[in-house]
């Protein structure tokens, strides 16, 4: 009997310029490039053990046995790289405060890519890890790296991967996550983006304008220009959500409380505070701001949200192996 085991930690990331549509469903190739910030506060720890004595893949998340329906096809990709690797046991723990309803597929598949490839005896480069993580969930391709990360869309499995833009962020930027709903999404990101690509008449304009936004946003990161980056991120997020309203049938991730948070941020901005919001495939609002002004923003948000609904997060590191 041969057994090999490895554990890895990966942090989640929040897109400032969004990925919202695939040109290849199976390989998960995006229609456009995207830019994200990896966060320190939310992460997944995953242990993978390949053992020739195992008779099936098993998957435990937060100590609960779940169907390995998403994990098994991903492990198959690792087994293609090392056909000697047999079935695996996968144990994951999500470190997201109280199941905060924040995207966990990014940290989940980035941690799984690193733990599974290492346990299978493969020593993948970060580029190849990013390509592998992408096959689990598009946003996971970016969680291999820390700080600001760009996903180059590419045209094939070979050239669609993430690159670090500013890995050790040494300027004043953070995010406040406002937790509005902890329930499962009504429309998954996978389904939502597919519907938009298939039915929104505005989709070609989204791709064109996002490509332009991305170039400007990468420049803003390099110049440490929080205001410009925030403006681009907020406008890009609103365009993504506008696509959802323009799909058939239409859908929206906004809840009344999302609009309350957005209004507070807009009002603070009119008073001279540098803060911008973004939303992903759910109602939670993330605020891009500086630590210098975060107390003032938290205090304004406290008028509408309980302290446990507001979580402060800072730039976080890339995926790494850990002892478990
Ligand atoms: C709105 O990566 O969850 O968060 O590739 O189908 O697994 P799949 O989708 P996923 O989509 C993330 C969408 C987003 C924007 C982003 O992270 O860029």
């Amino acid at each position: 009997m041969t057994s090999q085991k490895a554990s890895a930690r990966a942090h989640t990331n929040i897109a400032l310029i969004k990925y919202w549509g695939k040109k290849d469903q199976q390989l998960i190739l995006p229609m456009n490039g995207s830019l994200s910030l990896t966060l320190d506060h939310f992460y997944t720890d995953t242990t993978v053990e390949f053992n020739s004595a195992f008779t099936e893949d098993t998957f435990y998340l937060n100590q609960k046995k779940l169907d390995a329906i998403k994990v098994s096809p991903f492990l198959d990709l690792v087994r293609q790289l090392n056909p000697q690797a047999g079935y695996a046991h996968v144990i994951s723990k999500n470190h997201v405060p109280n199941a905060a309803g924040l995207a966990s597929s990014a940290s989940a598949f980035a941690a799984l890519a690193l733990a599974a490839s290492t346990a299978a005896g493969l020593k993948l480069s970060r580029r190849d890890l990013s390509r592998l993580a992408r096959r689990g969930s598009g946003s996971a391709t970016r969680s291999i790296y820390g700080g600001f990360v760009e996903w180059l869309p590419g045209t094939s499995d070979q050239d669609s991967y993430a690159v670090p833009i500013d890995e050790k962020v040494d300027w004043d930027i953070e995010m406040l996550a406002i937790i509005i709903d902890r329930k499962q999404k009504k429309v998954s990101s996978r389904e939502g983006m597919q519907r938009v690509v298939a039915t929104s008449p505005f989709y070609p304009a989204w791709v064109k304008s996002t490509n332009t936004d991305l170039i400007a946003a990468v420049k803003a990161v390099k110049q440490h220009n929080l205001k410009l980056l925030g403006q681009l991120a907020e406008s890009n997020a609103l365009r993504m959500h506008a696509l959802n309203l323009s799909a058939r049938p239409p859908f929206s991730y906004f809840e009344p409380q999302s609009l309350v948070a957005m209004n507070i941020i807009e009002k603070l901005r009119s008073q001279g505070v540098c803060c911008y919001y973004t939303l992903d495939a759910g109602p939670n609002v993330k605020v891009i701001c500086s630590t210098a002004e975060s107390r003032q923003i938290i205090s304004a948000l406290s008028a509408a949200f309980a302290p446990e609904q507001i979580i402060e997060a800072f730039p976080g590191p890339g995926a790494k192996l850990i002892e478990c």
Side-chain angles (χ1 to χ4, degrees), residues 231-244:
Q231 281 172 342
L232 288 162
E234 187 175 295
S235 148
N236 185 260
L238 288 173
R239 285 177 180 184
M240 178 195 122
H241 290 275
L243 283 180
N244 303 341

Side-chain angles (χ1 to χ4, degrees), residues 13-20 22 25 28 34-36 103 105-106 109 134 136-140 142 151 185 188-191 193 240-241 253 279-282 286:
N13 70 77
I14 301 296
L16 301 172
I17 302 297
K18 311 284 186 195
Y19 146 56
W20 198 239
K22 298 175 180 66
Q25 306 293 332
I28 311 199
S34 52
L35 173 77
S36 60
S105 68
F109 280 103
R134 192 197 77 231
S137 185
S139 49
R142 299 183 305 240
W151 177 7
K185 307 169 197 175
S188 70
S189 25
R190 194 151 293 192
E191 184 194 335
M193 65 175 86
M240 178 195 122
H241 290 275
Y253 294 112
L279 292 91
D280 291 303
K286 291 91 168 185

Side-chain angles (χ1 to χ4, degrees), residues 57-74:
D57 292 327
T58 56
F59 175 46
Y60 284 82
L61 177 62
N62 298 336
Q63 295 175 331
K64 240 174 90 184
K65 189 168 194 263
L66 297 181
D67 196 331
I69 194 147
K70 281 190 183 162
V71 168
S72 258
F74 188 83

Side-chain angles (χ1 to χ4, degrees), residues 79-93:
R79 286 186 279 255
Q80 274 167 26
L81 297 171
N82 179 2
Q84 316 275 282
Y87 287 111
H89 286 184
V90 177
I91 299 173
S92 272
K93 188 163 175 10

Side-chain angles (χ1 to χ4, degrees), residues 99-102 178-184 255 282-284 309:
L102 289 166
I178 307 163
I179 309 306
I180 285 163
D181 199 333
R182 296 169 178 182
K183 287 197 291 286
Q184 279 273 333
E255 294 289 339
N284 299 328
Q309 285 181 280

